[in-house]
Coordinates of all heavy atoms in Angstrom, one line a residue:
A10 N -14.8 -35.5 -28.8 CA -14.4 -35.4 -30.2 C -14.2 -36.7 -30.8 O -14.2 -37.8 -30.2 CB -13.0 -34.6 -30.2
L11 N -14.1 -36.7 -32.1 CA -13.8 -37.9 -33.0 C -12.5 -37.6 -33.7 O -12.2 -36.5 -34.1 CB -15.0 -38.1 -33.9 CG -16.3 -38.3 -33.3 CD1 -17.4 -38.2 -34.4 CD2 -16.4 -39.7 -32.6
Q12 N -11.9 -38.7 -34.1 CA -10.7 -38.7 -34.9 C -11.1 -39.3 -36.3 O -11.5 -40.5 -36.3 CB -9.5 -39.4 -34.3 CG -8.2 -38.9 -34.9 CD -7.0 -39.3 -34.0 OE1 -6.9 -38.9 -32.8 NE2 -6.1 -40.1 -34.5
V13 N -10.9 -38.6 -37.4 CA -11.4 -39.0 -38.7 C -10.2 -39.2 -39.6 O -9.3 -38.4 -39.6 CB -12.4 -38.0 -39.3 CG1 -12.8 -38.4 -40.7 CG2 -13.6 -37.9 -38.4
A14 N -10.2 -40.3 -40.4 CA -9.1 -40.5 -41.3 C -9.6 -40.0 -42.7 O -10.4 -40.7 -43.4 CB -8.8 -42.0 -41.4
P15 N -9.0 -38.9 -43.2 CA -9.4 -38.4 -44.5 C -8.6 -39.2 -45.6 O -7.7 -39.9 -45.3 CB -8.9 -36.9 -44.5 CG -7.7 -37.0 -43.6 CD -8.0 -38.0 -42.5
H16 N -9.1 -39.1 -46.8 CA -8.4 -39.7 -47.9 C -7.1 -38.9 -48.2 O -7.0 -37.7 -47.9 CB -9.3 -39.7 -49.2 CG -10.5 -40.6 -49.0 ND1 -10.4 -42.0 -48.8 CD2 -11.8 -40.3 -49.0 CE1 -11.6 -42.5 -48.7 NE2 -12.5 -41.5 -48.8
A17 N -6.1 -39.5 -48.8 CA -4.9 -38.8 -49.1 C -5.0 -37.6 -49.9 O -5.7 -37.6 -50.9 CB -3.9 -39.8 -49.8
G18 N -4.4 -36.5 -49.4 CA -4.5 -35.2 -50.2 C -5.8 -34.5 -50.1 O -5.9 -33.5 -50.9
E19 N -6.7 -34.9 -49.2 CA -8.0 -34.2 -49.2 C -8.3 -33.5 -47.9 O -9.5 -33.4 -47.5 CB -9.1 -35.2 -49.5 CG -9.0 -35.8 -50.9 CD -10.2 -36.8 -51.2 OE1 -11.0 -37.0 -50.3 OE2 -10.2 -37.3 -52.3
V20 N -7.3 -33.1 -47.2 CA -7.5 -32.5 -45.9 C -8.3 -31.3 -45.9 O -9.3 -31.2 -45.2 CB -6.1 -32.2 -45.2 CG1 -6.3 -31.4 -43.9 CG2 -5.4 -33.5 -44.9
A21 N -8.0 -30.3 -46.7 CA -8.7 -29.0 -46.8 C -10.2 -29.3 -47.2 O -11.1 -28.7 -46.6 CB -8.1 -28.0 -47.7
D22 N -10.4 -30.1 -48.2 CA -11.7 -30.4 -48.7 C -12.5 -31.1 -47.6 O -13.7 -30.9 -47.4 CB -11.7 -31.2 -49.9 CG -13.0 -31.6 -50.5 OD1 -13.8 -30.7 -50.8 OD2 -13.4 -32.8 -50.5
A23 N -11.8 -32.1 -46.9 CA -12.5 -32.9 -45.9 C -12.9 -32.0 -44.7 O -14.0 -32.1 -44.2 CB -11.6 -34.0 -45.4
I24 N -12.1 -31.0 -44.3 CA -12.4 -30.1 -43.2 C -13.7 -29.3 -43.6 O -14.6 -29.2 -42.8 CB -11.2 -29.2 -42.9 CG1 -10.1 -30.0 -42.2 CG2 -11.7 -28.0 -42.0 CD1 -8.9 -29.2 -41.9
E25 N -13.7 -28.8 -44.8 CA -14.8 -28.0 -45.3 C -16.1 -28.8 -45.2 O -17.2 -28.3 -44.8 CB -14.6 -27.5 -46.7 CG -15.7 -26.5 -47.2 CD -15.3 -25.9 -48.5 OE1 -14.1 -26.0 -49.0 OE2 -16.2 -25.4 -49.2
R26 N -16.0 -30.1 -45.7 CA -17.2 -30.9 -45.7 C -17.7 -31.3 -44.3 O -18.9 -31.3 -44.0 CB -17.0 -32.2 -46.6 CG -16.8 -31.9 -48.0 CD -16.3 -33.1 -48.8 NE -17.0 -34.3 -48.5 CZ -16.5 -35.5 -48.5 NH1 -15.2 -35.7 -48.8 NH2 -17.3 -36.6 -48.3
I27 N -16.7 -31.6 -43.4 CA -17.0 -32.0 -42.1 C -17.7 -30.8 -41.3 O -18.6 -31.0 -40.5 CB -15.8 -32.5 -41.4 CG1 -15.3 -33.8 -41.9 CG2 -16.0 -32.6 -39.9 CD1 -14.0 -34.3 -41.5
E28 N -17.2 -29.6 -41.5 CA -17.7 -28.5 -40.7 C -19.1 -28.1 -41.2 O -19.8 -27.3 -40.5 CB -16.8 -27.3 -40.9 CG -15.5 -27.5 -40.1 CD -14.6 -26.2 -40.1 OE1 -14.7 -25.4 -41.1 OE2 -13.9 -26.1 -39.1
E29 N -19.6 -28.7 -42.3 CA -21.0 -28.5 -42.7 C -21.9 -29.4 -42.0 O -23.2 -29.3 -42.1 CB -21.1 -28.6 -44.2 CG -20.4 -27.6 -45.0 CD -20.4 -27.9 -46.5 OE1 -20.8 -29.0 -46.9 OE2 -19.9 -27.0 -47.3
V30 N -21.4 -30.4 -41.3 CA -22.2 -31.5 -40.7 C -22.8 -30.9 -39.4 O -22.1 -30.3 -38.6 CB -21.4 -32.7 -40.4 CG1 -22.2 -33.7 -39.6 CG2 -20.9 -33.3 -41.7
A31 N -24.1 -31.1 -39.2 CA -24.8 -30.6 -37.9 C -24.1 -31.3 -36.7 O -23.9 -32.5 -36.7 CB -26.2 -31.0 -38.0
G32 N -23.8 -30.4 -35.7 CA -23.3 -30.9 -34.5 C -21.8 -30.8 -34.4 O -21.2 -31.1 -33.3
V33 N -21.1 -30.5 -35.5 CA -19.6 -30.4 -35.5 C -19.3 -29.0 -35.0 O -19.7 -28.0 -35.6 CB -19.1 -30.6 -36.9 CG1 -17.6 -30.3 -37.0 CG2 -19.2 -32.1 -37.3
R34 N -18.4 -28.9 -34.0 CA -17.9 -27.6 -33.5 C -16.7 -27.1 -34.2 O -16.5 -25.9 -34.4 CB -17.6 -27.8 -32.0 CG -17.3 -26.5 -31.3 CD -17.5 -26.6 -29.8 NE -16.6 -27.6 -29.2 CZ -15.4 -27.3 -28.6 NH1 -15.0 -26.1 -28.6 NH2 -14.7 -28.3 -28.1
Y35 N -15.8 -28.0 -34.5 CA -14.6 -27.7 -35.3 C -14.0 -28.9 -35.9 O -14.3 -30.1 -35.5 CB -13.5 -27.0 -34.4 CG -12.9 -28.0 -33.3 CD1 -11.9 -28.8 -33.6 CD2 -13.5 -28.0 -32.1 CE1 -11.4 -29.7 -32.7 CE2 -13.0 -28.9 -31.1 CZ -11.9 -29.7 -31.4 OH -11.4 -30.6 -30.5
A36 N -13.2 -28.7 -36.9 CA -12.4 -29.8 -37.5 C -11.0 -29.3 -37.9 O -10.9 -28.2 -38.5 CB -13.1 -30.3 -38.8
E37 N -10.0 -30.0 -37.5 CA -8.6 -29.5 -37.7 C -7.7 -30.7 -37.8 O -7.9 -31.8 -37.2 CB -8.2 -28.6 -36.6 CG -8.2 -29.2 -35.2 CD -7.9 -28.1 -34.1 OE1 -8.2 -27.0 -34.3 OE2 -7.4 -28.6 -33.1
P38 N -6.6 -30.6 -38.5 CA -5.6 -31.7 -38.6 C -5.0 -32.0 -37.2 O -4.7 -31.0 -36.4 CB -4.5 -31.1 -39.6 CG -5.2 -30.0 -40.3 CD -6.2 -29.4 -39.3
L39 N -4.7 -33.2 -37.0 CA -3.9 -33.6 -35.8 C -2.5 -33.0 -35.9 O -1.9 -33.2 -36.9 CB -3.9 -35.1 -35.7 CG -3.1 -35.7 -34.5 CD1 -4.0 -35.6 -33.2 CD2 -2.7 -37.1 -34.7
A40 N -2.1 -32.3 -34.9 CA -0.8 -31.7 -34.9 C 0.2 -32.4 -34.1 O -0.1 -32.9 -33.0 CB -0.9 -30.2 -34.4
R41 N 1.4 -32.6 -34.6 CA 2.5 -33.2 -33.8 C 3.1 -32.2 -32.9 O 3.2 -31.0 -33.2 CB 3.6 -33.8 -34.7 CG 3.2 -34.8 -35.7 CD 2.6 -36.0 -35.1 NE 3.5 -36.7 -34.1 CZ 3.3 -37.9 -33.6 NH1 2.2 -38.6 -34.0 NH2 4.1 -38.4 -32.7

């Protein structure tokens, strides 16, 4: 896996865009 730093306030949009990338299995926020 990779850890990606999204821009502030763009988590949902970033997840949608990342999951469209070939080879990505999932994208989700790091949970505490």
Side-chain angles (χ1 to χ4, degrees):
L11 301 168
Q12 200 163 302
V13 175
H16 296 296
E19 295 183 357
V20 172
D22 179 64
I24 288 175
E25 184 175 347
R26 290 167 54 208
I27 289 171
E28 290 188 330
E29 293 173 350
V30 174
V33 170
R34 185 161 63 96
Y35 65 85
E37 60 188 26
L39 180 76
R41 300 298 307 189

